[in-house]
Amino acid sequence: MSRQERHVLSPQTRKVLLGVNSGIALAHIGNYIWFPHLISTLGVEYSGFWAGFVMFLTYVGRLSATFFYEGVAARFGTRTSIIAGIAVEAVALGGMGFADGVPFYSLLAFFVGFGSGISFPGLKNILGTLPAADRPKAFSSFQMSCQLGVIAGAVIGGLFLGSSMTILFLVVFVLFAGYCAAAASFIPADAGDLGDPAAKDTPLVNVAILKGLQLGGGGSYFLLSSVFWILSISFLVGMPLHMEEFAADLPVSTPFWITGLALLVLQYPAFRFMSRHLRPGQVMGVAFLAMAAAYALFGAGQTAVWVVVGCLVVVFGDILFTPSFDLWVADRMPADRLARAMGAMHFFRSFGNMVGTLAAGALYDLSRSTDIPGLNWYAVGAIALVCAAVSFSSAKKEGAAPEQGTPAFAKTEAAPVAEPVVEPRQAADSTA
């Protein structure tokens, strides 16, 4: 058994992870209950465009929060900003149960995204300031909790078919209240905070967060992360639209069950194996190759078998890219700029989700107008291949530097020393 497998988390880390992981699981359960129902309802009552527009505004809210998180966290601390963000998200979701019309849903969707953009980055910031020896397991368990929430939400959501939106969103509100309680109960009051008086001078709205990209020569990886989320959203949006053509005999939710269960089983062993043998940039390259292969299968296949095989391949994109990028940022960014780097992560993910949501629909329309059903998959697959080449090239350049040539897990084993806690300044990700 390796030293990484024998590593035992400290009691303080366990407590933090209990609050973070249980909370994020509840958030994903709630998200995967409400958004399929809301999209379906708006699609029937209005149109698919307006259903997509409402979801698009959640990403606008998340992206907008990027510019506020640093100021909020500097003034009130990471824990308080997390709780406040969750509360905003919960209230907005509860309000959706009483909304009537696209304008009201759109306004509330913006605040759902804004609250997520404040709370979720704080959680990632806390994980990034855990002791170095605890980080790999912390990031992987965080990803696993997200996936468990996705699966549970998809299952529970099926129980609300035919239910009123008021009842559905009341249940979601209760789940997010539990999320808020978990954060308040298990995250220490000083988690991630330095208590630096100078932090109070941080602007409430800071548009300079992307300066974090100047550190460590990591701009290409941040750009790649944005493209990754464009590709990921292409699967989430494109697959339901194409199920009738690819596998009309399967329920439309089948691909998400397959990917959810595959992630649950493969997350730990696949990521652990790859991280021990490859640098983070190389692992990200493998993730893009998996996505390219899967999209080629979706584009070429016309039966259920192709869909199933493609789903089993595409999951390696999520399994390998997200935690590798998290570890790359935590390992490479100076401690005093870590929070700003987290903010850049959130910006590029939100931007990728926004662009990807609109691009997936446009590519689908193009595939139909040209009478080439798989054209949208071929297009995103080609983009994934380019990203894989860039990832491998960037990793090769990093390997030329001695201090950057060690895989993340190996570095953790060689120097399991706790890093100083840093002032949280910026954000990282989103909950759905």
Side-chain angles (χ1 to χ4, degrees), residues 19-36:
V20 170
N21 291 340
S22 62
I24 203 63
L26 289 173
H28 277 71
I29 291 172
N31 285 330
Y32 277 79
I33 288 175
W34 72 263
F35 86 80

Side-chain angles (χ1 to χ4, degrees), residues 192-407:
D193 294 333
L194 275 179
D196 183 4
K200 304 298 182 181
D201 298 328
T202 302
L204 181 61
V205 181
N206 184 7
V207 297
I209 60 166
L210 296 184
K211 289 181 179 179
L213 298 184
Q214 299 172 0
L215 299 174
S220 63
Y221 284 132
F222 282 94
L223 291 173
L224 283 173
S225 74
S226 188
V227 180
F228 170 81
W229 292 112
I230 292 175
L231 299 175
S232 182
I233 286 293
S234 295
F235 171 74
L236 295 175
V237 175
M239 184 51 66
L241 294 173
H242 285 271
M243 277 299 289
E244 289 297 325
E245 298 173 77
F246 283 99
D249 54 326
L250 293 178
V252 70
S253 62
T254 299
F256 305 107
W257 278 96
I258 295 172
T259 54
L261 291 175
L263 276 167
L264 186 64
V265 173
L266 299 174
Q267 174 73 45
Y268 278 116
F271 177 62
R272 186 187 302 124
F273 175 82
M274 296 298 293
S275 294
R276 285 176 178 166
H277 294 83
L278 300 173
R279 291 184 293 274
Q282 294 172 317
V283 178
M284 288 183 243
V286 174
F288 280 118
L289 286 178
M291 298 183 85
Y295 292 153
L297 291 171
F298 293 144
Q302 301 296 320
T303 67
V305 174
W306 291 86
V307 171
V308 172
V309 174
C311 288
L312 292 174
V313 175
V314 78
V315 294
F316 286 97
D318 282 322
I319 286 174
L320 299 177
F321 186 90
T322 306
S324 294
F325 185 59
D326 286 341
L327 281 174
W328 183 88
V329 172
D331 288 342
R332 307 291 171 153
M333 292 299 168
D336 62 340
R337 303 300 290 274
L338 178 61
R340 177 163 289 178
M342 291 294 178
M345 289 171 64
H346 174 62
F347 176 90
F348 281 110
R349 174 168 181 168
S350 297
F351 183 79
N353 284 332
M354 290 169 59
V355 173
T357 301
L358 300 178
L363 286 173
Y364 174 71
D365 290 340
L366 179 63
S367 69
R368 300 213 36 189
S369 64
T370 57
D371 198 26
I372 306 177
L375 179 60
N376 57 327
W377 297 120
Y378 296 136
V380 292
I383 295 172
L385 281 177
V386 173
C387 291
V390 173
S391 296
F392 286 121
S393 176
S394 298
K396 184 177 181 180
K397 292 178 181 178
E398 281 197 346
E403 70 274 11
Q404 295 185 351
T406 307

Side-chain angles (χ1 to χ4, degrees), residues 148-203:
L148 286 171
V150 169
I151 296 173
V155 172
I156 297 172
L159 303 176
F160 290 91
L161 291 176
S163 298
S164 70
M165 298 297 282
T166 301
I167 294 176
L168 183 146
F169 278 105
L170 176 61
V171 172
V172 173
F173 174 80
V174 171
L175 288 170
F176 272 81
Y179 176 20
C180 191
S185 300
F186 297 103
I187 297 178
D190 61 346
D193 294 333
L194 275 179
D196 183 4
K200 304 298 182 181
D201 298 328
T202 302

Side-chain angles (χ1 to χ4, degrees), residues 53 124 205:
F53 179 76
K124 296 295 286 291
V205 181

